[in-house]
Amino acid sequence: MEKAFISFLLLLQYYIISSSAMTQLNISTDQLALLSLKSQIISDPFHYMDESWSPAASVCHWVGITCGSRHQRVMSLNLSNMALTGVIPRELGNLTFLVYLDLGSNNFHGNLPQEMTHVHRLKVLDLSINSFSGEVPSWFGFLHQLQVLNLGNNSFAGSIPCSFSNVSTLETLNLNFNSIEGQIPKVIGSLLNLQVLNLKGNKLVGFIHMSLSNASRLEALEISYNSLQGNILEWIGNLHNMKVLSIQANQLTGSIPFIIFNISRIEVVAFVDNRLSGYLPIGLCNDLSILKGLHLSKNNLHSHMPTSLSNCSQLQILSLSDNEFDGPIHTEIGRLSNLQTLFLGFNHFNGMIPQEIGNRVNLAELAMEINQITGLVPISILNISSLQILSLSMNNFSGFLP
């Protein structure tokens, strides 16, 4: 019995010594990886790393570093908004316990090293607002636990890799304002957990494929400022969780599917600067109680303004300018108590400006230029203290201004 107990103590001692040595080795690995990153920083104007990242102190106490309580390994590296300039070394891939990496809003440049595939525990990767270049790496498909990938505002080129379909956990994919070309891959629709897809400000072409309808959890689809073409298809109306739908400044044609206005959770609909035609449904706002922004300017839409707009009680921005709308500006628009921006210029509206618009105390921008509006300019409008922009030129007003 005594021998067994002694053997147990010896085994326990060996385990403690081995574990301690292994932990020390792992911490040393993380330290070397971070010091390698520091060596590639050529500008640290606020001396964040110069003063903190010293081998004399524990890695877990360095600025921007968070270690796990269990393994004492680096789990989080956050160097965002530090005005750092440099490149990412291959050794960064040795931070194999890393879960969160944020280098956003700096001046990093160059390509991303393929060794980053070793950081297989990574859930959040934010490299936005830098100067990274090269093609969007296909090896992102090996980061199977990734939930957030933000590469926005860089200089990435090439096409969107189909390997993204391997990252089934992805919830946010942001590639906005790069130089990405080609089409939106059909496989993006296989990302069933995707909630935010932002491809704004690239060089994408082709059609918006209906495979996106499979991403039923999608809450924000932002693909403005590209060269996408074709019609807006009915399947978009099946994305019942959609809150922001923005496809501005493309080459879309055809009419706006009325089914979009049945998405009760939608807050922003933005199709500005396309080639859309047709008219707006009579019951436009019957199911849009939380709509905050309706942006439809610079298209070929026609017919009258729906009186149901008054049902969009949360509406803050109504932009219908530069279309072919006609008919009167209904008094119901005066019920929109949260309205801040009203753009109706460059149309064929006629009749008088409803007095009720003057009751909108939050109104900051009111533009009705180049229409066929008649009568007096309501004095109540000139009493709106929040008003910053008032444009009523080239109409058929009469009377005088106080």
Side-chain angles (χ1 to χ4, degrees):
M1 188 69 164
E2 184 177 349
K3 290 183 179 180
F5 181 70
I6 293 174
S7 298
F8 170 75
L9 289 177
L10 291 174
L11 184 62
L12 180 62
Q13 183 180 16
Y14 172 78
Y15 173 77
I16 293 172
I17 294 173
S18 299
S19 297
S20 177
M22 183 62 70
T23 300
Q24 187 63 41
L25 176 63
N26 290 337
I27 290 175
S28 299
T29 301
D30 289 354
Q31 184 186 71
L32 290 173
L34 293 171
L35 289 176
S36 179
L37 174 61
K38 180 181 178 180
S39 71
Q40 298 300 315
I41 304 296
I42 61 175
S43 177
D44 179 11
F46 300 108
H47 306 288
Y48 288 115
M49 301 174 74
D50 287 343
E51 297 175 359
S52 171
W53 285 33
S54 168
S58 169
V59 169
C60 300
H61 296 152
W62 292 3
V63 66
I65 302 296
T66 302
C67 291
S69 57
R70 181 182 176 187
H71 298 289
Q72 287 297 299
R73 297 291 303 272
V74 175
M75 293 185 64
S76 173
L77 172 58
N78 186 350
L79 303 179
S80 61
N81 294 286
M82 291 186 178
L84 302 173
T85 301
V87 297
I88 307 301
R90 295 179 302 172
E91 288 79 3
L92 198 69
N94 293 333
L95 299 176
T96 53
F97 276 72
L98 203 61
V99 175
Y100 182 97
L101 175 59
D102 187 352
L103 303 179
S105 300
N106 283 291
N107 298 305
F108 286 103
H109 56 274
N111 295 345
L112 300 179
Q114 188 169 353
E115 284 76 8
M116 288 182 66
T117 55
H118 301 154
V119 191
H120 55 86
R121 291 181 172 88
L122 204 61
K123 292 183 178 180
V124 176
L125 177 58
D126 190 340
L127 303 177
S128 61
I129 315 179
N130 279 284
S131 299
F132 290 111
S133 57
E135 294 191 356
V136 178
S138 60
W139 49 256
F140 279 129
F142 292 103
L143 302 178
H144 296 299
Q145 297 189 44
L146 201 61
Q147 296 175 2
V148 176
L149 177 60
N150 188 353
L151 304 180
N153 294 84
N154 279 284
S155 299
F156 287 108
S159 58
I160 300 174
C162 291
S163 59
F164 278 134
S165 63
N166 298 328
V167 191
S168 61
T169 54
L170 202 60
E171 297 176 1
T172 297
L173 176 58
N174 187 352
L175 304 176
N176 70 330
F177 293 111
N178 281 279
S179 297
I180 299 171
E181 302 174 332
Q183 300 186 15
I184 302 174
K186 298 177 183 178
V187 296
I188 296 296
S190 66
L191 299 173
L192 302 183
N193 290 301
L194 196 63
Q195 298 176 21
V196 177
L197 178 60
N198 191 340
L199 306 176
K200 177 180 180 180
N202 282 286
K203 301 176 182 179
L204 297 171
V205 297
F207 302 93
I208 306 170
H209 199 268
M210 67 177 298
S211 61
L212 277 178
S213 64
N214 296 325
S216 58
R217 297 187 181 180
L218 206 59
E219 296 181 3
L221 178 60
E222 172 60 273
I223 48 180
S224 301
Y225 300 98
N226 283 286
S227 297
L228 300 170
Q229 57 185 324
N231 296 350
I232 304 173
L233 300 180
E234 297 277 344
W235 58 259
I236 286 185
N238 297 328
L239 299 174
H240 301 296
N241 293 305
M242 187 69 71
K243 295 180 180 178
V244 177
L245 177 58
S246 182
I247 318 179
Q248 304 184 85
N250 279 280
Q251 300 169 18
L252 301 180
T253 55
S255 59
I256 301 174
F258 291 173
I259 194 172
I260 288 176
F261 303 114
N262 292 334
I263 304 174
S264 60
R265 297 186 180 182
I266 206 156
E267 297 180 12
V268 176
V269 176
F271 297 139
V272 172
D273 196 8
N274 280 284
R275 302 169 186 172
L276 298 172
S277 57
Y279 59 93
L280 298 179
I282 296 175
L284 171 66
C285 284
N286 290 347
D287 297 307
L288 299 180
S289 59
I290 61 173
L291 186 70
K292 294 181 174 64
L294 182 60
H295 308 258
L296 302 177
S297 295
K298 296 185 179 180
N299 281 287
N300 299 312
L301 301 171
H302 61 86
S303 194
H304 298 350
M305 181 190 301
T307 57
S308 65
L309 276 169
S310 61
N311 295 330
C312 288
S313 58
Q314 301 300 313
L315 198 63
Q316 298 174 8
I317 299 174
L318 176 59
S319 178
L320 304 179
S321 59
D322 205 351
N323 278 285
E324 301 293 331
F325 289 112
D326 56 22
I329 301 170
H330 300 294
T331 58
E332 284 84 358
I333 205 168
R335 300 177 189 171
L336 298 174
S337 58
N338 293 293
L339 199 62
Q340 299 174 14
T341 298
L342 178 58
F343 289 156
L344 302 178
F346 295 87
N347 280 288
H348 307 292
F349 288 114
N350 53 48
M352 301 177 65
I353 299 177
Q355 292 278 350
E356 290 80 0
I357 290 181
N359 298 329
R360 302 286 55 88
V361 295
N362 296 315
L363 200 61
E365 299 176 296
L366 175 59
M368 297 182 178
E369 72 276 15
I370 312 182
N371 278 284
Q372 299 166 19
I373 303 173
T374 58
L376 300 174
V377 176
I379 296 176
S380 58
I381 290 178
L382 305 178
N383 291 330
I384 302 175
S385 60
S386 60
L387 200 61
Q388 300 174 20
I389 295 176
L390 176 62
S391 180
L392 302 175
S393 61
M394 298 185 70
N395 278 286
N396 298 315
F397 292 113
S398 57
F400 61 93
L401 295 177

